[in-house]
Amino acid sequence: MSGSTVDASGYRPPGPAGGRSGGLRVLRVVGELNFGGTEMRTAELLPRLADAGVQVHLVTLHARVGPGPLAPMVRRHGGSITAMPLDLRFPGRFRRLLRQLRPDVVHVDCGNFSGVVLSLAVLAGVPGRVAHFRGDDNQPRSLRRRVTRWLFGRMLRMSATDILGVSPSSLTFGFGRDWADDPRCQVVLNGLDLDRLRQPGFDDLRALVGAGADGLVCLSVGRASPEKRRWLLPPIVAALDARGVTVHAVLVGPGDPADDARVRAAAAAVGVADRVHLLGPRDDVGGLLRQADAVVHPSCLEGLPGGVLEPVALGIGTVAADLPGVRYIGEHLPGVTIVDTDAAPRAWADALLAAAAYTATTDPAVAVDRFGRSVFAIDAAVATHLAIYRRRASTRRRPVVGVPNSRGRLPVDSER
């Protein structure tokens, strides 16, 4: 499937002969299509961008298009999905796609590697070149990774017209501590579509997992990967067991054989295998969240975690590790209980009980109304994206001069 458009309908991106539509054309580049924070937030923006005349085409840097919501949403709104794996042929294929689509903006969600993609967009004369940092990449790196990251970062600084981060910390860790001094940088909070979370669930959650009326149901939403630390849930359940509190832990999100096995082994080791449930990916996350007593999000690596933002929006008490993005949410909305990243299971258990108490005393309608008036409302994210896209598209006829200036980057439109 290398370099081909992945679409069951046989859709191909329009070529120059077809002319340009009256709206804006954005080429969005992501790593791999699957259920995840980047994909969910992008999918929620698409209908609103389409209503404003923006046509989004998608490139995935992986040969496989996964089961997440973004692919059908792109097709539904007239876009295309092109699988373009990273190999020696990638630069030529990507430049050919740019000539074919003639986008007004290339918007890349690939960390510092975005610099490579945006450099190709410079050569193709694309006026808008957006790099988007989604996470706090604060993990130890090998010498090779540090060198590669520095090189890609230099390319990004020279090629991007706009540099976005989902939180201040994502720009600090991704772009640099000096991000506030660069006029291209700005925080664009992930907008959250409350309408999606209000959709009815498919199941009665307590009946589904066999939880009694007096037990607590704790939900954890996120894909299976080491940094999500899903294997912490069973020891937390066991710590509450020791206090006479019955808890069912329900894990929702795409699985991974090795990670799933680690969760099950941890549950068996502490004797709670019958109360740890792996449901896999679900389309009714909002319906499940509304039935939970509390949410636990043990991830140690995040940007602005949807696994915390979504339950808090619905008035569900949430426990999360002490990360910059989590603290940022807690500064703006109630319902977040923060524990030390390396806290023992008993500390997580204490926090879970506090989160359940918050849920029990919170009116969901009040929480939803409060969220709708917060900085995380989706309308604000849509407005910011449209402002960036329209500003950059308005410069389309201006020549791109590929000569770095004295600050070591390519000239960009000075309008902010």
Side-chain angles (χ1 to χ4, degrees):
M1 297 199 304
S2 299
S4 63
T5 300
V6 184
D7 193 325
S9 67
Y11 180 87
R12 287 283 188 264
R20 294 183 56 79
S21 65
L24 301 178
R25 188 172 292 170
V26 175
L27 184 63
R28 195 77 182 253
V29 182
V30 299
E32 178 181 1
L33 289 190
N34 210 322
F35 282 98
T38 297
E39 184 174 11
M40 293 299 297
R41 301 293 84 81
T42 303
E44 289 170 350
L45 289 174
L46 279 174
R48 293 164 173 84
L49 293 176
D51 288 345
V54 177
Q55 186 182 66
V56 177
H57 298 269
L58 201 74
V59 167
T60 171
L61 305 182
H62 195 282
R64 185 179 68 88
V65 173
L70 190 50
M73 187 76 79
V74 168
R75 290 193 290 263
R76 193 177 308 136
H77 293 287
S80 63
I81 305 106
T82 302
M84 195 172 293
L86 287 175
D87 55 28
L88 293 177
R89 296 170 292 178
F90 172 78
R93 287 174 172 165
F94 189 69
R95 291 188 67 183
R96 283 195 295 273
L97 182 63
L98 290 176
R99 288 196 298 269
Q100 186 179 19
L101 279 176
R102 292 183 294 159
D104 299 290
V105 178
V106 171
H107 188 153
V108 191
D109 294 279
C110 298
N112 274 281
F113 183 75
S114 300
V116 176
V117 180
L118 295 181
S119 295
L120 295 172
V122 169
L123 296 176
V126 179
R129 303 178 297 277
V130 181
H132 207 147
F133 289 100
R134 297 279 184 172
D136 296 345
D137 186 7
N138 56 357
Q139 300 300 295
R141 305 181 187 92
S142 65
L143 176 61
R144 180 179 178 181
R145 281 196 65 199
R146 291 198 299 271
V147 171
T148 302
R149 190 172 184 272
W150 177 87
L151 177 61
F152 291 166
R154 292 295 298 171
M155 297 175 73
L156 188 151
R157 287 175 179 259
M158 293 174 64
S159 59
T161 59
D162 297 87
I163 300 163
L164 314 181
V166 297
S167 64
S169 59
S170 67
L171 284 169
T172 297
F173 288 114
F175 181 75
R177 297 187 181 277
D178 62 339
W179 68 266
D181 298 327
D182 193 315
R184 299 172 298 170
C185 294
Q186 63 178 307
V187 175
V188 179
L189 300 175
N190 283 338
L192 190 61
D193 186 359
L194 287 174
D195 291 339
R196 175 180 61 82
L197 294 179
R198 292 173 182 170
Q199 296 299 313
F202 304 144
D203 297 296
D204 180 306
L205 183 55
R206 287 185 175 273
L208 182 64
V209 301
D214 298 330
L216 294 179
V217 176
C218 167
L219 208 65
S220 185
V221 181
R223 58 186 170 81
S225 60
E227 67 273 11
K228 299 300 182 183
R229 303 195 305 173
R230 303 187 310 157
W231 42 267
L232 280 179
L233 271 295
I236 297 170
V237 172
L240 287 166
D241 242 14
R243 305 182 190 185
V245 180
T246 301
V247 179
H248 284 258
V250 183
L251 287 72
V252 177
D256 170 81
D259 199 89
D260 289 352
R262 185 174 185 181
V263 173
R264 292 191 176 99
V270 294
V272 297
D274 61 328
R275 283 182 284 117
V276 176
H277 313 273
L278 284 75
L279 297 190
R282 300 276 299 214
D283 291 328
D284 60 340
V285 171
L288 296 176
L289 283 171
R290 293 198 305 274
Q291 299 178 68
D293 296 299
V295 166
V296 173
H297 192 75
S299 176
C300 65
L301 182 63
E302 293 287 353
L304 192 72
V308 174
L309 202 56
E310 290 183 352
V312 167
L314 297 173
I316 308 300
T318 302
V319 184
D322 188 4
L323 299 173
V326 174
R327 291 197 298 271
Y328 192 83
I329 294 172
E331 291 167 1
H332 290 83
L333 294 170
V336 183
T337 302
I338 298 174
V339 298
D340 187 78
T341 306
D342 298 319
R346 62 179 178 274
W348 286 87
D350 290 339
L352 191 151
L353 292 176
Y358 172 84
T359 303
T361 57
T362 299
D363 183 340
V366 171
V368 167
D369 179 68
R370 179 170 50 223
F371 186 87
R373 292 182 282 104
S374 76
V375 296
F376 304 106
I378 194 167
D379 289 345
V382 172
T384 303
H385 280 75
L386 286 174
I388 292 170
Y389 293 163
R390 287 169 175 164
R391 180 173 65 245
R392 296 309 173 191
S394 70
T395 69
R396 182 162 191 89
R397 297 186 181 279
R398 301 181 189 180
V400 176
V401 182
V403 180
N405 60 22
S406 60
R407 295 186 65 182
R409 63 176 186 252
L410 296 177
V412 298
D413 180 23
S414 60
E415 296 179 37
R416 294 296 304 172

